[in-house]
Amino acid sequence: MMMAIFGVYMLLIWLIFAKLKLIRLSLPIALVLAAVGPAFAFFILLSMNNYHPSSADARVFQRIVQIVPHITTPGRVAEIVAQPNAPLKKGDVIFRIDPQPFQFEIDRLQAALAAAQQNVPQLKSSFDQASAGVEKATAQYNLAKADLQRQQDLFSKQVVAQAALDRAQRNAETAEQVVAEASAAENRARLAYQSNIGSDNTAVAQARQQLAAATYNLDESIVRAPCDGYAVNLQLVPGAIVSAAASVLPFVCDRDQANLGMVVASFMQGPYLQIRPGEYAEVIFPMYPGRVFPGKVVSTIDIASEGQLTATGLFPGIGSPGNTRFAVRIRLDDAEGRRLPAGMQGDAAIYSGSVQIAGVIRMALMRMTSWTNYLYFTS
């Protein structure tokens, strides 16, 4: 860049003083030119870097979705429907997993659910029987207590012997023990019958939840496109085992209106502070030599990977100082219908309203660089 500025400066001097001879070159003028030239070049360079910064790291990105089967158990690929790089609509089938194991599980759980539902009336009957048993045992206990009381009265009047009193005492204690056992059985029957989750018995609710999970697995055995786009690196073959543990292929989503013509460029820390949303920008790509794409700054991203702290067992560390670059999102004005492959790299420049002459020189340098991109096609 400095060589280009000095080259233009020397060309102007040659035209004015040697070629056109508009001014006679003298020693004082030569000294002034020798002093002004480096100072002017330094001023222009400083102004361009701060008020009209450029970046050689402008890239086009695209949203990629990793296709991961959502089945909870591993499955075998039965059919590959999608073709590599062929356009798909959201919801179109990419591949199918063998549904038979999931259907078998659904059938088993449907039977388990029916058995659990049929068991509820039996639990109700058991609870009713246990309640009746408590009532019967209580009635017998009351009779035993009444008999014990009579025997005690008769024994106090010396009408009955001690043996009759002891027998009545044992009968009352036995009846009391029967009441305790019947009450415990009633409590167990009540817990089994009245243990609900919402309005369902726990066994029924558990079987229904397991059936829902199995049905979800069956539905997810058909893997569909998450968005409009196409599948790349489709290496799956029928018979391959897939699970939810890893991605099986990347899916490229078509750019929506919000991401159409979006370019991300990274800038050094100093010039980055001067960039504001809405400022005019230009982007050039080696893929389009001689073309300059105008655009506008959409947003600045005030965070970099160096500013992130992760949860580890180590103390926070600081990487190499002075290397951090910050990203700026630029939307191109005429990107409609133009091919912008994801990953293509170019140069970007952003222009502010300060030191316009430096902006003009930056524009000239961008166009010179764009024309030199023709060398990519001749090398």
Side-chain angles (χ1 to χ4, degrees), residues 158-171:
Q158 297 182 352
V159 175
V160 296
Q162 180 68 39
L165 179 61
D166 292 342
R167 184 171 55 255
Q169 180 70 35
R170 287 194 301 272
N171 290 339

Side-chain angles (χ1 to χ4, degrees), residues 137-153 168-169 171-173 175-176 179:
T138 302
Q140 291 177 347
Y141 174 62
N142 292 333
L143 290 175
K145 286 198 302 181
D147 182 60
L148 176 62
Q149 185 64 42
R150 286 194 304 271
Q151 294 298 327
Q152 289 175 343
D153 293 342
Q169 180 70 35
N171 290 339
E173 292 176 353
E176 185 179 9
V179 170

Side-chain angles (χ1 to χ4, degrees), residues 247-268:
S247 171
V248 295
L249 62 95
F251 192 88
V252 182
C253 293
D254 292 340
R255 294 185 179 95
D256 53 19
Q257 200 61 34
N259 294 312
L260 189 64
M262 196 67 67
V263 177
V264 178
S266 62
F267 291 84
M268 296 297 294

Side-chain angles (χ1 to χ4, degrees), residues 52-59 263-267 275 280-285 292-293 297 325 328-330 332 345-351 362 366 369:
H52 309 282
S54 67
S55 171
D57 186 26
R59 295 179 182 269
V263 177
V264 178
S266 62
F267 291 84
I275 300 174
Y280 177 72
E282 290 181 341
V283 182
I284 59 176
F285 298 106
V292 177
F293 295 91
V297 175
R325 299 175 68 90
V328 176
R329 299 173 73 236
I330 301 171
L332 304 182
Q345 186 176 5
D347 296 79
I350 298 175
Y351 304 92
R362 173 69 74 189
M366 287 289 289
T369 305

Side-chain angles (χ1 to χ4, degrees), residues 105-120:
E105 183 68 7
I106 288 177
D107 296 340
R108 184 186 71 81
L109 291 172
Q110 284 176 341
L113 177 60
Q117 291 172 336
Q118 292 174 358
N119 193 40
V120 174

Side-chain angles (χ1 to χ4, degrees), residues 63-70 94 223-224 226 232-233 246-253:
R63 186 159 61 99
I64 308 296
V65 178
Q66 298 297 326
I67 301 299
V68 180
H70 290 175
I94 301 177
V223 180
R224 303 179 182 275
V232 295
N233 194 24
S247 171
V248 295
L249 62 95
F251 192 88
V252 182
C253 293

